[in-house]
Amino acid sequence: MIPAQFDYLAPTSVHEAIAALAEHGDDAKVLAGGQSLLPILRMRLNAPGIVIDLGKIPELQGVSEEGDHLVIGAMTTYAAVLASEAVATHAAVLSKAIHTVADPQIRHRGTVGGALVHADPAGDVGAPALALEAELVIAGADGATRTVAAEDFFEDLFTTAVGEGELLTHIRIPKHTGWGAHYEKFVRVSHQWSIVGVAATVRSEGGSIAEARVGLTNMGSTPLRARSVEEALVGQPATDEAVRAAVASVADGTNPPSDLNGDSDYRKHLATVLTRRAVLAAAGA
Ligand SMILES: Cc1cc2nc3c(=O)[nH]c(=O)nc-3n(C[C@H](O)[C@H](O)[C@H](O)COP(=O)(O)OP(=O)(O)OC[C@H]3O[C@@H](n4cnc5c(N)ncnc54)[C@H](O)[C@@H]3O)c2cc1C
């Protein structure tokens, strides 16, 4: 299907983009890689009068290092993140999760910022953002910026802390240098969205788990962080028996969907299996 007619604007700075959003209000829609927005426009689930393309704004592109943080521009493509040595070294679980997203064509167009703002609970970027305790930088209508912790960013299904007239500009990630990492994604066929996914990153010391972070994909209306499991893992040896016991309650309090890929109880069972596998792999066991 062909989208309804719209005007097109390609600002060259965040300032210009924010001004355009203020001028056009809810008649405007921001375009990043278009991998979620364009299908929506083609199905006419949304028909904005104007599309504001962020693709010509250099300040939203690329990965940089600021002291003990990595800073990823919202318009950085999945492919650019995968090519980044800095992300592989300091935020490995993000690289590993992105490696499982869709196919190379989509990874060359889709952006990390677009995926985070789209906030599909089956998307693979939210769980690593939680596990890495990322912070999301949002530029507002008055030109001011605010920073929101990943845990406060995802508010509901397809809903984030980015409000009307605002843009996500950067993702700030504390460096997790030396942490082991793994993303365990369960799908029926390749290139599918996660039925369930688990992002795990682990710091080991003297053969035991010293710190662990676990994020869950598609176990509720938003990505979730499994804090009680993280606490239970601390001090445990990275053995199958110890990790199995520590992650047994990972699905407690979650509310995963039921659909043609599996019902809610099946997903809860999957989450315990995948979390064990992800933690053991992250710990190098
Ligand atoms: C066939 C197919 C398979 C896929 N499989 C997977 C998969 O396995 N795993 C997975 O995680 N994802 C998958 N995706 C989704 C893909 O990851 C998308 O790229 C991503 O969801 C959106 O990123 P985008 O840059 O294309 O954003 P767009 O589609 O351009 O935008 C998405 C939404 O975010 C808003 N937006 C974008 N950037 C900003 C910003 N900086 N500030 C404010 N608002 C913004 C837009 O207005 C829009 O509402 C798949 C997509 C397709 C088409």
Side-chain angles (χ1 to χ4, degrees), residues 29-37 54 74 78 100-102 106 109-111 113-115 117-118 122-125 162 166-168 185 192-193:
K29 199 78 189 141
V30 164
L31 174 70
Q35 299 306 299
S36 295
L37 183 61
L54 304 182
Y78 293 128
T100 72
V101 171
I106 288 166
R109 295 295 309 177
T111 66
V117 179
H118 188 58
D124 296 298
V125 181
V162 178
E166 293 186 320
L167 285 180
L168 175 66
K185 172 171 174 170
Q192 202 189 14
W193 292 80

Side-chain angles (χ1 to χ4, degrees), residues 171-193:
I171 299 107
R172 288 176 55 80
I173 299 177
K175 288 181 180 173
H176 284 63
T177 319
W179 288 52
H182 189 76
Y183 187 69
E184 187 77 18
K185 172 171 174 170
F186 189 81
V187 287
R188 283 189 299 114
V189 292
S190 63
H191 301 160
Q192 202 189 14
W193 292 80

Side-chain angles (χ1 to χ4, degrees), residues 126-140:
L130 286 175
L132 289 165
E133 300 185 321
E135 295 171 337
L136 294 309
V137 183
I138 298 170

Side-chain angles (χ1 to χ4, degrees), residues 32 38 43 53 62 78-79 87 109 119 127 159 163 173 188 227 234 237-238 268 270-271:
L38 289 185
M43 288 186 277
D53 183 353
Y78 293 128
V87 177
R109 295 295 309 177
T159 308
I173 299 177
R188 283 189 299 114
R227 276 187 186 275
V234 172
K268 288 185 177 183
L270 262 185

Side-chain angles (χ1 to χ4, degrees), residues 6 9 11 19 41 54 71 73 131 135 149 170 197 209 244:
F6 54 80
L9 199 65
L41 299 189
L54 304 182
V71 181
E135 295 171 337
H170 295 92
I209 295 171
R244 187 184 292 266

Side-chain angles (χ1 to χ4, degrees), residues 16-283:
E16 270 181 52
I18 294 280
L21 280 174
E23 185 185 340
H24 297 283
D26 62 10
D27 198 31
K29 199 78 189 141
V30 164
L31 174 70
Q35 299 306 299
S36 295
L37 183 61
L38 289 185
I40 288 168
L41 299 189
R42 287 169 66 106
M43 288 186 277
R44 301 211 178 190
L45 296 174
N46 199 326
I50 183 161
V51 167
I52 300 172
D53 183 353
L54 304 182
K56 295 204 164 47
I57 305 180
E59 65 202 275
L60 296 181
Q61 299 279 353
V63 179
S64 58
E65 295 184 49
E66 280 180 12
D68 56 4
H69 279 71
L70 286 181
V71 181
I72 303 179
M75 285 296 290
T76 308
T77 62
Y78 293 128
V81 172
L82 285 178
S84 165
E85 198 57 45
V87 177
T89 305
H90 304 299
V93 72
L94 182 62
S95 293
K96 297 204 172 185
I98 287 178
H99 190 73
T100 72
V101 171
D103 54 42
Q105 287 92 335
I106 288 166
R107 294 199 294 266
H108 275 277
R109 295 295 309 177
T111 66
V112 175
L116 289 168
V117 179
H118 188 58
D120 189 319
D124 296 298
V125 181
L130 286 175
L132 289 165
E133 300 185 321
E135 295 171 337
L136 294 309
V137 183
I138 298 170
D142 53 2
T145 60
R146 61 193 175 97
T147 301
V148 177
E151 251 177 307
D152 300 321
F153 183 77
F154 301 102
E155 294 183 343
D156 204 348
L157 205 65
F158 301 109
T159 308
T160 70
V162 178
E164 200 178 308
E166 293 186 320
L167 285 180
L168 175 66
T169 62
H170 295 92
I171 299 107
R172 288 176 55 80
I173 299 177
K175 288 181 180 173
H176 284 63
T177 319
W179 288 52
H182 189 76
Y183 187 69
E184 187 77 18
K185 172 171 174 170
F186 189 81
V187 287
R188 283 189 299 114
V189 292
S190 63
H191 301 160
Q192 202 189 14
W193 292 80
S194 280
I195 296 173
V196 173
V198 178
T201 189
V202 167
R203 186 173 67 78
S204 302
E205 222 173 69
S208 295
I209 295 171
E211 288 181 271
R213 305 274 183 273
V214 177
L216 306 176
T217 302
N218 216 8
M219 287 297 290
S221 59
T222 66
L224 301 173
R225 183 163 167 191
R227 276 187 186 275
S228 61
V229 163
E230 293 174 1
E231 283 159 20
L233 284 165
V234 172
Q236 298 296 333
T239 61
D240 186 82
E241 195 185 356
V243 171
R244 187 184 292 266
V247 308
S249 63
V250 70
D252 288 4
T254 63
N255 187 19
S258 290
D259 57 28
L260 289 176
N261 285 315
D263 64 20
S264 186
D265 285 342
Y266 174 70
R267 280 190 163 86
K268 288 185 177 183
H269 171 70
L270 262 185
T272 57
V273 175
L274 302 181
T275 305
R276 173 171 51 84
R277 288 185 193 161
V279 170
L280 285 170

